[in-house]
């Protein structure tokens, strides 16, 4: 190659690199806009004092959409029985998790008991103590579960899943934790 050709190719390569960076930034900002939009809709629903079941279903629909997930569940803790019950469900078979979970039982029970986020990119990485309770959901490839926390207590768990393998990022954990705290305020 002649020096002039190398210079032209270098200029084209720099231009293409800047296009890739700009595309990545645009995708990042689109995601942030979707996140902020969801938080705004949750706040609006709280102010409208809509029925909790309706709000949880809308909340779950929107969260699944923003996360690019396939399914989700909101579990609420019954303080009297210390059991988790499904309060909203999307993308899962109707019979899944019809029975209540005890504290520490299944991934949602583990999350509520420990007050910690659980992220599993593959079913093989699910620890024995967090195996699903009577779970026919073996087709789930990736899952993330965050506690629904207020300052005083844990009210339940938000469980999001994908049927195709998906590596949930730190941004996903951050966003879902923010959404879960908004939901916890709404539930309380």
């Amino acid at each position: 190659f002649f020096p002039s050709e190398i210079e032209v190719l270098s200029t084209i390569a720099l231009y293409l690199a800047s296009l890739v960076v700009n595309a990545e930034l645009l995708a990042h900002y689109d995601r942030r806009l979707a996140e902020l939009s969801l938080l705004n809709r949750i706040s609006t629903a709280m102010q409208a004092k809509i029925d909790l079941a309706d709000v949880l279903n809308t909340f779950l629909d929107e969260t699944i959409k923003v996360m690019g997930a396939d399914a989700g569940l909101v579990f609420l803790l019954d303080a009297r029985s210390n059991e988790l019950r499904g309060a909203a469900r999307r993308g899962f078979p109707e019979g899944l998790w019809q029975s209540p979970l005890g504290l520490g039982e299944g991934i949602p029970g583990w999350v509520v008991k420990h007050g910690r986020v659980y992220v599993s990119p593959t079913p093989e990485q699910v620890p024995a103590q967090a195996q699903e309770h009577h779970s026919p959901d073996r087709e789930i490839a990736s899952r993330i579960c965050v506690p629904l926390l207020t300052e005083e207590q844990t009210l339940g768990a938000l469980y999001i899943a994908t049927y195709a393998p998906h590596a949930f990022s730190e941004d996903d954990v951050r966003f879902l934790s923010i959404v879960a705290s908004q939901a916890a305020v709404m539930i309380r």
Side-chain angles (χ1 to χ4, degrees):
F1 290 103
F2 295 107
S4 61
E5 293 172 323
I6 292 173
E7 188 176 329
V8 169
L9 289 174
S10 294
T11 302
I12 292 171
L14 284 173
Y15 177 72
L16 290 175
S18 70
L19 286 177
V20 169
V21 169
N22 287 340
E24 289 172 350
L25 286 172
L26 183 59
H28 175 77
Y29 288 120
D30 283 346
R31 167 73 187 253
R32 290 292 181 264
L33 181 60
E35 291 174 359
L36 291 172
S37 179
L38 174 59
L39 291 173
N40 185 45
R41 286 191 299 275
I42 292 169
S43 295
T44 302
M46 285 173 49
Q47 292 171 1
K49 296 183 181 176
I50 300 172
D51 177 59
L52 181 60
D54 291 339
V55 172
L56 287 177
N57 286 321
T58 301
F59 159 75
L60 195 53
D61 286 338
E62 297 294 329
T63 302
I64 288 169
K65 187 183 337 177
V66 170
M67 294 289 297
D70 299 309
L73 280 153
V74 174
F75 291 92
L76 296 181
L77 179 63
D78 181 336
R80 289 179 293 220
S81 66
N82 257 355
E83 292 180 324
L84 288 170
R85 299 180 191 284
R89 169 190 338 274
R90 291 293 188 261
F92 285 115
E94 191 59 37
L96 186 62
W97 284 299
Q98 290 292 13
S99 302
L101 297 174
L103 284 181
E105 194 173 19
I107 291 171
W110 183 89
V111 165
V112 170
K113 182 177 182 180
H114 298 283
R116 294 184 25 216
V117 174
Y118 179 89
V119 180
S120 169
T122 63
E124 296 78 33
Q125 294 177 340
V126 178
Q129 71 270 21
Q131 290 293 327
E132 301 299 333
H133 172 65
H134 304 296
S135 177
D137 73 337
R138 301 294 176 220
E139 68 276 3
I140 291 176
S142 303
R143 37 190 119 206
I144 182 170
C145 189
V146 297
L148 297 170
L149 298 168
T150 65
E151 290 179 9
E152 307 86 36
Q153 67 188 107
T154 303
L155 302 176
L158 172 59
Y159 181 97
I160 301 293
T162 63
Y163 293 116
H166 177 81
F168 288 108
S169 68
E170 287 297 317
D171 272 349
D172 292 328
V173 172
R174 176 199 53 79
F175 169 66
L176 211 54
S177 296
I178 291 169
V179 167
S181 31
Q182 286 288 322
V185 168
M186 175 182 56
I187 292 163
R188 183 135 175 89

